[in-house]
Amino acid sequence: MHVQEWLETVPAVSVYLLVGVVIGLESLGIPLPGEIVLVSSALLASQHGDINPYILGACATAGAIIGDSIGYAIGRKGGRPLLARLGAKFPKHFGEAQIAMAERSFRKWGMWAVFFGRFVALLRIFAGPLAGVLRMPYWKFLIANVLGGIVWAGGTTAVIYSVGVVAEAWLKRFSWLGLLLAALIGIASMLVLRNRAKKAAEPEPPAGDPDPVPAAD
């Protein structure tokens, strides 16, 4: 059964709790489909009046911030041995290559890696625990965590909900053309932050070799 079809059978309060818990666990460091659940719930809210988008966005934001904060505390206490244990249990998400990529992002971007990491699935899982392992000052982490949680969770809810509402209204007038235009607007509004987040995950290009010194005659 599709996620959205399943969510239609769940009471509104349970949807709020489900979104907050799933996003919280994902932010804590457990690989779960938090973004899929959030997008599906926001689309469902646009089609059914029982789900309040403001409450949905607030629950998603709270889950993101609280989950990341718990992940930070666990990472700070567990250190690198924690990453090694996670790598053994989840090699696809916490393998050496993934950890190295995340560390490059943190060393290059600092606290902004936490902020932009919200928009990349892999960094969203890593951000809290890795910030703790690398001993990022908590006040820096907290600022980036709160801002990132609000922009990602609240922004995603607002954009997807608006796209759903607009698409439904336009479909009555312009059929599939309205759906296509609404979808393009929603996608375009998130591309800038996603591109910035992906750049944060890219390693810096290696410096070129210095020119050889000509041999003396």
Side-chain angles (χ1 to χ4, degrees):
M1 182 182 292
H2 192 275
V3 173
Q4 189 172 352
E5 294 177 352
W6 177 76
L7 286 172
E8 290 179 0
T9 66
V10 179
V13 174
S14 298
V15 173
Y16 302 145
L17 292 175
L18 177 68
V19 169
V21 170
V22 171
I23 291 177
L25 291 176
E26 182 190 38
S27 301
L28 190 151
I30 299 175
L32 292 175
E35 191 168 40
I36 294 176
V37 172
L38 177 59
V39 169
S40 299
S41 300
L43 281 174
L44 183 61
S46 70
Q47 307 298 322
H48 300 274
D50 293 339
I51 300 177
N52 188 310
Y54 294 101
I55 298 177
L56 181 66
C59 291
T61 301
I65 294 173
I66 294 172
D68 242 14
S69 296
I70 296 174
Y72 175 91
I74 293 174
R76 193 173 181 88
K77 183 176 181 180
R80 291 192 175 274
L82 172 65
L83 296 180
R85 291 195 296 271
L86 290 174
K89 292 183 178 180
F90 307 103
K92 292 183 179 180
H93 297 88
F94 292 92
E96 293 183 3
Q98 289 82 357
I99 292 176
M101 181 275 290
E103 285 188 338
R104 285 195 300 267
S105 302
F106 269 73
R107 298 192 188 283
K108 180 180 179 180
W109 293 87
M111 62 183 289
W112 292 110
V114 177
F115 177 85
F116 288 115
R118 284 288 179 193
F119 301 88
V120 178
L122 180 62
L123 288 180
R124 189 160 58 246
I125 297 172
F126 268 116
L130 191 57
V133 170
L134 297 179
R135 302 283 175 172
M136 177 183 289
Y138 182 70
W139 68 270
K140 289 185 177 181
F141 170 80
L142 183 61
I143 292 174
N145 179 27
V146 171
L147 292 178
I150 293 173
V151 173
W152 174 74
T156 299
T157 303
V159 169
I160 299 301
Y161 176 82
S162 300
V163 168
V165 171
V166 171
E168 184 181 27
W170 283 12
L171 277 173
K172 295 177 181 177
R173 299 180 181 179
F174 305 108
S175 186
W176 290 103
L177 178 61
L179 177 61
L180 176 62
L181 291 176
L184 289 176
I185 292 173
I187 293 172
S189 65
M190 302 298 292
L191 281 181
V192 174
L193 284 174
R194 284 189 177 277
N195 287 337
R196 290 292 302 273
K198 288 181 179 179
K199 288 181 180 179
E202 294 176 355
E204 295 183 352
D209 295 329
D211 295 334
V213 178
D217 293 334

